[in-house]
Amino acid sequence: MEDLSHILLQLGEDDFDDQGSVVPPLVQTANFAYPNVQAMRDALQNEEELPLYTRGLNPTTALLANKLSAIEGTEAALLTSSGSAAVAKAVLSVLKHGDHLVSVHKPYSWTGKLMTKFLPRFGIQTTFVDGTQIENFKNAIQPNTRLIYLESPNSFTFELQDIAEVAALAKNLGIHTIIDNSYCTGVYQKPALMGIDTVVHSATKYYSGHSDVVAGVICSSKAHISRIFKSEFMTLGGVLAPFNAWLLLKGLRTLDLRLERSSESTSKIVDFLLSHPKIETVYWPGHPGHAQYALAQKQMSRASGLFSLVLKSNQEKDALAFAHALKRFRLAVSWGGYESLQYPAVVAHGLSYGKDEIPVGLFRMAVGLEPVDILIGDLEQALDKI
Ligand SMILES: *Cc1c(COP(=O)(O)O)cnc(C)c1O
């Protein structure tokens, strides 16, 4: 395994004929020209390895793909224009009409819609299971099950699946496994090394880290990535633009520092909240009070900076008062950026999440890079308002 700082700061960067520029160039071009027919023929016949057209291979996106694959510990990676494109392409790559998949329940919202609304149009059915128990996966598997889909931890309630156990179960039955690893990133959790076949990410989140790019990545074996390239990747399009890849390369420089800061601050914030009389509970896999803390310790080197708090009060007026009193946690979707954010369940009040109703006092909080004392102070004054 390569050391992380080498991957983030150096890997692949001296491959460019870039007149000594320290930062790798942004190759902002749609197509590539050749000195003769043979060179063009070579590129056309090997679009995966040689630059021909930027929907296929572009040097800037290829550099980023190599880095993300190295972080994950996989052989290869492909970049997509969003995390949802990565999820959809990876899922479609292993399914055909008549197939069945088993998914952890409460996956990312649009992943859930892919499975409940989109795949059935093509004759593909999904069974959703509570992923905290391996038995639930075993019981859901049918003769035509081709895929097990994981997201560990998931968002909002941060439930985990035992990744190695599910991977072993699937491998025995010849079932492909995909996991959404956006929460931990490959820095804090390496599912491919636990036997998972394909790892997908919303690179919009920590990999970018600056809330200025929407992006996704699929990491897998060279053989599987090659299959996806020739099929879903090139036919469905939706690839990452070179400029967005270049922004991501910039964000990656500080990935380890940002994650560490956010995780450390979250630990202090969670301790503060759990000792506060107006807080019912906190969901964060980095805290010993988490229902699956032992499993988190086994498969994650650390928990990142996204967690949920639940107010003692379940009155909408208190949730609104708390939301509006917070000054440093801005009201916005997404997470993984430099800035702290809040996503109050009351925004989606009346909507159900899986089978469970989310309590009206639940807030998903993304901890940014601000000094932790300022964030705790902000939470404290907001809790005083309810
Ligand atoms: C945001 C997110 C996605 C979707 O990624 P986009 O980049 O927004 O398309 C998928 N999975 C998880 C866990 C996410 O948080």
Side-chain angles (χ1 to χ4, degrees):
M1 178 82 46
E2 307 231 25
D3 94 78
L4 182 61
S5 71
H6 176 254
I7 297 172
L8 301 181
L9 307 181
Q10 290 181 303
L11 182 69
E13 302 202 7
D14 44 16
D15 291 352
F16 289 90
D17 174 19
D18 57 4
Q19 303 168 358
S21 88
V22 168
V23 174
L26 164 57
V27 184
Q28 185 71 28
T29 185
N31 48 1
F32 297 84
Y34 304 93
N36 55 57
V37 167
Q38 185 57 45
M40 185 168 171
R41 183 181 295 142
D42 289 345
L44 189 69
Q45 289 175 350
N46 192 8
E47 204 171 347
E48 212 181 323
E49 308 285 337
L50 299 171
L52 174 79
Y53 185 60
T54 281
R55 176 155 37 78
L57 186 141
N58 171 286
T60 305
T61 53
L63 173 62
L64 175 63
N66 289 340
K67 283 177 187 276
L68 295 182
S69 178
I71 294 170
E72 212 62 53
T74 54
E75 289 174 357
L78 286 170
L79 295 165
T80 54
S81 56
S82 71
S84 290
V87 170
K89 288 180 181 187
V91 165
L92 288 170
S93 77
V94 292
L95 298 173
K96 63 177 185 327
H97 188 273
D99 286 346
H100 172 254
L101 71 137
V102 178
S103 171
V104 64
H105 74 165
K106 302 190 256 175
Y108 174 71
S109 58
W110 290 103
T111 301
K113 282 170 198 156
L114 173 75
M115 294 166 180
T116 57
K117 307 261 191 263
F118 188 93
L119 294 179
R121 286 166 46 198
F122 302 91
I124 299 164
Q125 300 301 327
T126 304
T127 302
F128 292 96
V129 298
D130 171 353
T132 59
Q133 307 297 326
I134 187 78
E135 291 308 319
N136 297 341
F137 289 99
K138 288 183 185 158
N139 294 337
I141 289 169
Q142 304 174 8
N144 59 340
T145 304
R146 295 281 171 270
L147 169 66
I148 297 181
Y149 187 93
L150 307 179
E151 187 178 314
S152 185
N154 68 348
S155 198
F156 289 97
T157 46
F158 303 98
E159 288 142 5
L160 315 184
Q161 301 101 57
D162 189 320
I163 296 170
E165 212 169 31
V166 176
L169 169 73
K171 206 140 264 167
N172 265 335
L173 298 168
I175 297 172
H176 192 92
T177 44
I178 300 176
I179 190 168
D180 183 330
N181 198 30
S182 305
Y183 178 91
C184 284
T185 78
V187 178
Y188 287 166
Q189 178 167 278
K190 297 192 191 297
L193 305 188
M194 299 178 226
I196 295 291
D197 296 311
T198 299
V199 184
V200 293
H201 283 271
S202 171
T204 310
K205 313 294 163 50
Y206 286 116
Y207 282 150
S208 155
H210 293 74
S211 302
D212 50 7
V213 178
V214 172
V217 63
I218 308 168
C219 303
S220 191
S221 67
K222 218 170 166 16
H224 191 58
I225 286 294
S226 190
R227 272 197 295 276
I228 296 177
F229 181 88
K230 293 188 188 86
S231 180
E232 290 77 18
F233 188 76
M234 290 301 283
T235 59
L236 300 178
V239 302
L240 193 65
F243 179 59
N244 286 348
W246 188 85
L247 287 172
L248 268 153
L249 285 167
K250 184 167 175 153
L252 271 194
R253 304 282 184 210
T254 54
L255 175 67
D256 49 346
L257 301 174
R258 290 185 285 102
L259 278 168
E260 198 176 308
R261 168 72 167 232
S262 177
S263 176
E264 248 169 48
S265 297
T266 304
S267 179
K268 292 182 181 141
I269 289 169
V270 167
D271 284 343
F272 161 76
L273 290 170
L274 285 172
S275 67
H276 197 286
K278 289 182 182 167
I279 295 292
E280 175 69 25
T281 192
V282 166
Y283 297 110
W284 188 56
H287 191 271
H290 185 273
Q292 295 171 291
Y293 184 64
L295 178 57
Q297 293 285 98
K298 185 178 102 176
Q299 63 190 21
M300 300 160 54
S301 59
R302 228 169 148 158
S304 66
L306 188 70
F307 73 97
S308 292
L309 63 83
V310 182
L311 302 174
K312 271 229 167 81
S313 163
N314 60 2
Q315 293 193 36
E316 184 163 326
K317 74 170 174 48
D318 288 329
L320 293 175
F322 181 65
H324 293 145
L326 287 168
K327 298 283 176 280
R328 300 304 295 257
F329 291 84
R330 299 178 71 187
L331 273 164
V333 297
S334 196
W335 46 275
Y338 60 88
E339 77 288 15
S340 291
L341 299 174
Q342 53 158 321
Y343 186 153
V346 70
V347 169
H349 191 38
L351 299 181
S352 64
Y353 184 49
K355 274 183 261 158
D356 312 323
E357 196 73 34
I358 314 182
V360 75
L362 184 142
F363 285 68
R364 191 188 68 184
M365 311 296 284
V367 177
L369 306 180
E370 305 86 343
V372 68
D373 295 347
I374 288 178
L375 295 178
I376 289 175
D378 193 32
L379 289 160
E380 193 164 26
Q381 63 80 26
L383 285 165
D384 287 346
K385 304 277 175 8
I386 61 177

